[in-house]
Amino acid sequence: MLAATRRNLLLERLRADGRLVAKDLARELGISEDSIRRDLRDLAAAGLCTRVYGGALPASAASSDYATRRSVATDSKRRVAAHASSLIRPGSTVILDGGTTTLELARAIPTGLECEIITHSPTIAAALLDHAASVYLIGGTLYKHSAVAMGAAAAEMAQRVSAELFFLGVVGIHHEAGLTTGDPEEAAMKRLLASRAAETFVLGSSEKLGAAARHVVLPLADVTAVIADPAHDTDLEELGRRTRVIRVP
Amino acid sequence: MLAATRRNLLLERLRADGRLVAKDLARELGISEDSIRRDLRDLAAAGLCTRVYGGALPASAASSDYATRRSVATDSKRRVAAHASSLIRPGSTVILDGGTTTLELARAIPTGLECEIITHSPTIAAALLDHAASVYLIGGTLYKHSAVAMGAAAAEMAQRVSAELFFLGVVGIHHEAGLTTGDPEEAAMKRLLASRAAETFVLGSSEKLGAAARHVVLPLADVTAVIADPAHDTDLEELGRRTRVIRVP
DNA sequence: CAACAACGTGCAGAAACGTGCACACTCTCA
DNA sequence: TGAGAGTGTGCACGTTTCTGCACGTTGTTG
């Protein structure tokens, strides 16, 4: 097995499980723990993961994994979420992607608003329990790190729904790289969900504008608009030439 | 289990419950109280929580709203959940019903235990995000009151799974009325899930023993056993003649 | 004040770690 | 084609870190 392939596998594991135990991986791959440790050391040096005693955690997760981040949404995410929720009309059907920004969007939906929400995120479904909105949950194998249902069963269920709006969460929004995320399977799922809705809006909180990750979800031209809350106005110049941009007040 | 993961879990618990008892967590995670205390000491030193005699409190006082306190399980539910979790063997596949007792059971599963959990409750799926267990989420239309996926899609997905164990939560456990719940559709779903598992265990916390609701889920004879924590020993006399009863210590 | 639980500290065994080294393999260049 | 540099891997060894236990101390409760 190629060392590079193995490192990709490690990163893949980290994303899927949200953690990685050196001993387990060594046994599973039939190589020594030393090699795993060396890999993790290098990946950590490159900022792709965080080393802890016994294994590693995802880069962003040293002291703030998904669990932590979900409770501390930034102001920017909150502003974007608030504006996005105003686009939901009573009686309409909406698909919500997984992630912290879309979770904030779910919370921003008026409690009394009667609409239908489709989501593959159990966290978002749980957040909508006190809302009047009816919820359709897409099931499947749970991806631990991003807390969404994935896999064949999820794809099949997603294939059968349709909606007016889809709110898409991504890792990067870049005028050249387009809309990107860290995992190829997640990218495919997001693409599938986008194909089931008439209009797709991208949630663009400040830290995402100008950023890019490894796997392309969609080109900018394929979405209806980016709901953006830029740190600097210049962030939107290039973007505005490729797609419609809604600037949050 | 990684020490770093454990610390994240402690913080997560603090946020969710608004408090943390060192003794309980030690038993739940299967490690000594010393380690928990050491963790809490370090977390407190980092300003992430406040140390108190017997456990810890969140660093920021604004944490436990009414909603979270409402969902805090009773001691009886915790005892039943703890015993039920000990029935789960490594590598086995388990179906978890929805409800507060099963949620407590999900939390009681050792974080490092490798097994497969099937559930139609998004709340339980979310609670298992930092466990090693892989999670298969059954989707469908969300029933707000009991926070589970229901309907045709859920039934179809449930039909396709199979497992060794099913932990069933009900509203009433009565020697004559049998196992009952408040909603006919829920009763049907619970019946379906029971039919997909080799063995069915009923979670019988004290307030359920002797109670009954309108819709029958199953007769007592159809389940493997009731895991019971009776307020009075007399509650079990009649029950023991109809089915096997496991009394929680 | 007495009984008890929780606490901190020191200690020992276990596990994980980093480092240096030997060996196998690949690639380059003469 | 063969020598040499560079790289990846596994092993051995000493070091660090984690964990549970024992023991004496402090805090809580009745």
Side-chain angles (χ1 to χ4, degrees):
Chain A
M1 169 173 227
L2 265 62
T5 311
R6 189 181 59 229
R7 295 190 180 189
N8 277 330
L9 177 71
L10 295 185
L11 289 176
E12 190 71 17
R13 268 319 164 80
L14 272 172
R15 258 195 299 277
D17 299 340
R19 103 191 56 155
L20 194 155
V21 180
K23 192 176 190 173
D24 295 354
L25 256 290
R27 199 178 43 219
E28 185 178 328
L29 300 178
I31 59 176
S32 75
E33 288 178 50
D34 300 72
S35 296
I36 300 287
R37 271 201 291 271
R38 269 187 273 251
D39 287 342
L40 293 180
R41 187 195 310 166
D42 296 348
L43 290 174
L48 297 170
C49 73
T50 305
R51 199 78 178 74
V52 297
Y53 197 83
L57 296 174
S60 49
S63 68
S64 72
D65 56 3
Y66 179 81
T68 311
R69 274 181 291 143
R70 84 179 150 201
S71 62
V72 221
T74 62
D75 288 346
S76 177
K77 287 182 182 187
R78 240 187 291 271
R79 277 194 295 273
V80 170
H83 187 270
S85 76
S86 71
L87 298 176
I88 304 176
R89 312 211 160 277
S92 62
T93 301
V94 179
I95 304 177
L96 285 194
D97 197 8
T100 52
T101 316
T102 39
L103 175 59
E104 206 55 32
L105 165 52
R107 289 178 176 156
I109 294 172
T111 327
L113 183 68
E114 307 247 355
C115 59
E116 188 174 3
I117 305 289
I118 300 169
T119 183
H120 62 140
S121 159
T123 323
I124 287 179
L128 289 170
L129 283 176
D130 311 312
H131 286 61
S134 80
V135 177
Y136 186 82
L137 179 63
I138 293 174
T141 306
L142 201 65
Y143 242 52
K144 294 299 180 62
H145 182 247
S146 42
V148 289
M150 301 274 294
E156 194 186 323
M157 263 182 116
Q159 195 68 255
R160 291 190 189 151
V161 303
S162 61
E164 283 122 50
L165 302 182
F166 171 43
F167 288 103
L168 169 63
V170 294
V171 170
I173 302 173
H174 190 273
H175 60 91
E176 279 185 359
L179 304 164
T180 50
T181 192
D183 184 273
E185 283 220 52
E186 274 187 46
M189 187 69 184
K190 288 169 190 291
R191 238 178 343 255
L192 173 55
L193 291 174
S195 75
R196 304 308 306 157
E199 296 194 288
T200 296
F201 290 89
V202 185
L203 302 176
S205 46
S206 57
E207 84 282 5
K208 286 167 185 165
L209 299 170
R214 194 174 299 219
H215 300 278
V216 176
V217 177
L218 285 171
L220 281 166
D222 285 14
V223 300
T224 311
V226 174
I227 303 172
D229 175 57
H232 313 288
D233 287 348
T234 51
D235 290 353
L236 299 186
E237 287 178 6
E238 283 289 338
L239 208 60
R241 294 192 194 109
R242 322 277 172 132
T243 188
R244 189 154 78 90
V245 175
I246 301 173
R247 204 183 179 297
V248 172
Chain B
M1 170 176 211
L2 295 173
T5 310
R6 190 182 58 229
R7 297 189 178 187
N8 278 331
L9 177 73
L10 295 184
L11 289 175
E12 176 65 14
R13 243 357 136 71
L14 272 172
R15 255 194 303 279
D17 298 342
R19 75 198 146 90
L20 193 155
V21 181
K23 193 175 191 174
D24 293 353
L25 257 291
R27 199 178 41 220
E28 182 178 329
L29 300 179
I31 58 175
S32 75
E33 289 178 49
D34 300 73
S35 295
I36 300 287
R37 270 201 291 271
R38 268 186 273 251
D39 287 342
L40 293 179
R41 187 196 309 165
D42 296 349
L43 290 174
L48 296 170
C49 73
T50 306
R51 201 78 177 72
V52 296
Y53 198 81
L57 295 173
S60 54
S63 62
S64 65
D65 51 317
Y66 177 74
T68 56
R69 217 172 314 158
R70 166 179 67 184
S71 68
V72 170
T74 63
D75 287 348
S76 177
K77 288 182 181 186
R78 237 189 288 271
R79 276 194 296 273
V80 170
H83 187 271
S85 76
S86 72
L87 297 175
I88 303 175
R89 312 211 160 277
S92 62
T93 301
V94 179
I95 303 176
L96 286 193
D97 197 7
T100 52
T101 316
T102 39
L103 174 59
E104 205 56 31
L105 165 52
R107 287 180 177 160
I109 295 172
T111 328
L113 182 66
E114 307 247 354
C115 59
E116 186 173 4
I117 306 290
I118 300 169
T119 184
H120 61 140
S121 159
T123 323
I124 287 178
L128 289 170
L129 282 177
D130 35 33
H131 284 61
S134 77
V135 177
Y136 186 81
L137 179 62
I138 293 175
T141 306
L142 200 66
Y143 244 51
K144 293 301 180 61
H145 180 251
S146 42
V148 289
M150 301 274 294
E156 194 187 322
M157 262 182 117
Q159 194 70 255
R160 292 190 190 150
V161 304
S162 61
E164 282 122 49
L165 301 182
F166 171 44
F167 289 102
L168 169 63
V170 294
V171 170
I173 302 172
H174 191 273
H175 60 93
E176 280 184 356
L179 305 165
T180 50
T181 191
D183 182 277
E185 283 221 53
E186 272 187 49
M189 187 69 185
K190 288 170 191 291
R191 244 187 329 265
L192 172 56
L193 290 174
S195 75
R196 304 308 307 157
E199 296 195 289
T200 297
F201 289 89
V202 184
L203 301 175
S205 47
S206 56
E207 83 282 5
K208 287 168 185 163
L209 299 169
R214 192 172 297 225
H215 299 278
V216 176
V217 177
L218 285 171
L220 281 165
D222 285 15
V223 300
T224 311
V226 173
I227 303 171
D229 175 58
H232 314 289
D233 285 350
T234 52
D235 291 352
L236 299 186
E237 287 179 5
E238 283 290 336
L239 208 61
R241 293 193 194 107
R242 323 278 172 129
T243 189
R244 187 155 80 90
V245 174
I246 301 172
R247 205 183 179 298
V248 173

